[in-house]
Amino acid sequence: MRISRRTATATAVAVTSALVMTACGSSGGSDGSDSAAGKVEGTVKFQTWNLRTEFRDYFEGVIADFEKKYPGTKVEWIDQPAEGYADKLSADAAGGTLPDVVNVSPDLAHPLAKAGLALDLDKAAAKYRDEYLDGAWKSHRMPGLEGTYAFPWYLNTGPMFYNKKLFKDAGLDPEKPPTTYDQLFKDAGDMAEKSDGRIAMLANAPAIEDFGRYGARLMDAKGTKFTFNEPEGVELLKKYKELYDAGALDSQALTNKAEAAGRKFQQQSIAMNPGSAHDLETFRAEAPSLYKNLGITPAVNNTGKDNMYVQGLMVNRQSEVKPAAVAFAHFVTNAKNQMDFAHEVAVFPSTKGSLDDPYFTEDDGKDETRVRVAAAKSLKTAVNYTPVLFSEQMKTALRNEVAKAMQGKKSPKQALDDAVAECDRLLKTTG
């Protein structure tokens, strides 16, 4: 089970047009309004995504508690495999068999919201909004649409690991890793110079999240065009090219995958890399010299906000039991049930105050606790930097143009202009 699962974004976005065309035929008999007033009763069909195998007892307990709190309700739990989940949602929506409460990420919620199949919680459940972290609630808002289309559920983020010894060898303070891009660029240049180019700070070229962390506007408010070619985006790419030319970025940064970057960090040829609790255990077992010098810090940003990965629970706007569906989605995502789930697996609650619990603030010296405490701290103000509409094809287009700029084949401005043009073209073909 991969709790930090990356979704099939391209597939989810590609089904939007089909859903819009078929939405009028997918009614389950309800009025399709955004009202959820009425008695909490009836059978709620609840669909998750690859969770039953490892968390059956947890969910069956939550369901039993809900049915006890609301006599006259029953929850039917459906758990779908991860493979083909976006296609399954599309087929259910088109066929009028979409469950009442559905586990979604923002990119999966978008085509359903655009087709009018997702309940607007700003209208139907506004009284619950203040229970959740602001960034988590906003993560299920959709470009070009007004409203919020899923209850925020569990969160995740990735801290940065850094090598304190390499920082010290370069004359940098190992207790003060970079927190802004200006500091990162300066420290990376110093490290490359002090090591005669043997040690790079980072192993990867900038991705869309980096442009967001830098402070670039990624998309217009209506969701009709991309904007990461504006001055802030161009400035970031210029800085990365300077790092690349100076040897402060790994020589294979244009082709490195996450696995390759991880190996380079373990081999101590780069000084910083994102990671997880699993990586900590690997370092301790396979790279003890790295492990004893390991530092943990939030990812660099200019916005004061880290990146957030979020899952949500969407309510079917055409559900025949909307009052019960809203009540159940809220119940699953309330502070108590989210905290209990976080004790089952390495995820984080999206509810306000939960991240102040000692479980997320007190370091007991264990590997997984070190990562948990660092991640929880950053999640309090984190946002989802990847635009909901940014597909895998768009990621490839950006990656290719970034490579051309770093290699000097295009100016940073021309490369980003061309990337935006291609992403806008892809947006029109899927939207």
Side-chain angles (χ1 to χ4, degrees), residues 185-201 238-251 406:
F185 297 143
K186 181 181 183 303
D187 289 354
D190 290 345
M191 184 167 289
E193 183 178 354
K194 291 289 181 65
S195 67
D196 293 325
R198 291 181 297 102
I199 306 297
M201 182 69 82
K238 285 181 179 178
K239 294 289 187 180
Y240 262 88
K241 176 170 170 46
E242 291 172 4
L243 292 185
Y244 188 67
D245 291 344
L249 197 63
D250 184 73
S251 61
M406 304 269 271

Side-chain angles (χ1 to χ4, degrees), residues 74-373:
K74 180 177 176 58
V75 177
E76 292 183 4
W77 179 24
I78 307 162
D79 190 60
Q80 299 290 353
E83 185 176 355
Y85 188 70
D87 293 332
K88 174 63 175 169
L89 287 179
S90 175
D92 285 347
T97 58
L98 193 69
D100 302 291
V101 176
V102 183
N103 180 191
V104 293
S105 51
D107 56 302
L108 293 179
H110 175 261
L112 300 170
K114 189 171 182 180
L117 300 177
L119 187 68
D120 179 2
L121 300 181
D122 284 342
K123 296 178 180 177
K127 63 183 179 180
Y128 299 127
R129 177 180 174 179
D130 287 343
E131 296 180 20
Y132 301 90
L133 295 170
D134 189 54
W137 185 268
K138 290 179 178 177
S139 68
H140 282 91
R141 290 181 174 172
M142 306 297 162
L145 300 174
E146 292 186 3
T148 301
Y149 294 94
F151 282 98
W153 194 9
Y154 57 87
L155 312 176
N156 228 320
T157 190
M160 290 290 288
F161 292 137
Y162 68 100
N163 189 316
K164 291 184 176 182
K165 182 178 184 302
L166 295 182
F167 269 66
K168 186 176 181 180
D169 291 346
L172 303 174
D173 187 340
E175 302 306 321
K176 294 183 179 179
T179 58
T180 66
Y181 276 93
D182 282 348
Q183 185 182 353
L184 173 67
F185 297 143
K186 181 181 183 303
D187 289 354
D190 290 345
M191 184 167 289
E193 183 178 354
K194 291 289 181 65
S195 67
D196 293 325
R198 291 181 297 102
I199 306 297
M201 182 69 82
L202 301 170
N204 296 107
I208 192 67
E209 296 94 334
D210 296 291
F211 288 88
R213 290 190 186 103
Y214 191 72
R217 191 172 68 121
L218 304 181
M219 200 171 195
D220 70 345
K222 295 181 179 180
T224 58
K225 63 180 180 178
F226 291 96
T227 56
F228 53 83
N229 60 335
E230 292 178 346
E232 292 85 354
V234 175
E235 182 178 77
L236 175 68
L237 188 50
K238 285 181 179 178
K239 294 289 187 180
Y240 262 88
K241 176 170 170 46
E242 291 172 4
L243 292 185
Y244 188 67
D245 291 344
L249 197 63
D250 184 73
S251 61
Q252 297 178 313
L254 305 186
T255 56
N256 274 337
K257 303 291 185 182
E259 295 81 3
R263 286 195 298 272
K264 290 174 183 288
F265 183 72
Q266 187 170 334
Q267 295 162 358
Q268 304 188 65
S269 62
I270 61 170
M272 296 189 77
N273 200 57
S276 67
H278 175 75
D279 295 311
L280 268 177
E281 296 167 3
T282 300
F283 298 152
R284 183 174 60 180
E286 300 179 5
S289 63
L290 167 64
Y291 182 76
K292 70 180 182 180
N293 290 298
L294 200 64
I296 304 173
T297 186
V300 169
N301 65 74
N302 285 354
T303 65
K305 298 179 180 181
D306 207 347
N307 194 41
M308 172 191 296
Y309 304 100
V310 58
Q311 291 288 320
L313 291 185
M314 187 202 85
V315 176
N316 183 355
R317 189 167 180 254
Q318 297 179 334
S319 168
E320 294 183 335
V321 291
K322 270 187 287 191
V326 169
F328 181 72
H330 172 254
F331 188 79
V332 174
T333 61
N334 69 24
K336 177 188 180 301
N337 285 322
Q338 288 212 51
M339 179 62 76
D340 289 346
F341 195 40
H343 280 271
E344 295 276 339
V345 66
V347 295
F348 301 85
S350 61
T351 42
K352 287 181 180 177
S354 297
L355 297 177
D356 294 322
D357 187 272
Y359 184 68
F360 297 112
T361 60
E362 296 179 2
D363 188 346
D364 59 8
K366 295 180 180 179
D367 293 346
E368 60 271 20
T369 307
R370 295 175 66 192
V371 175
R372 183 171 66 240
V373 170

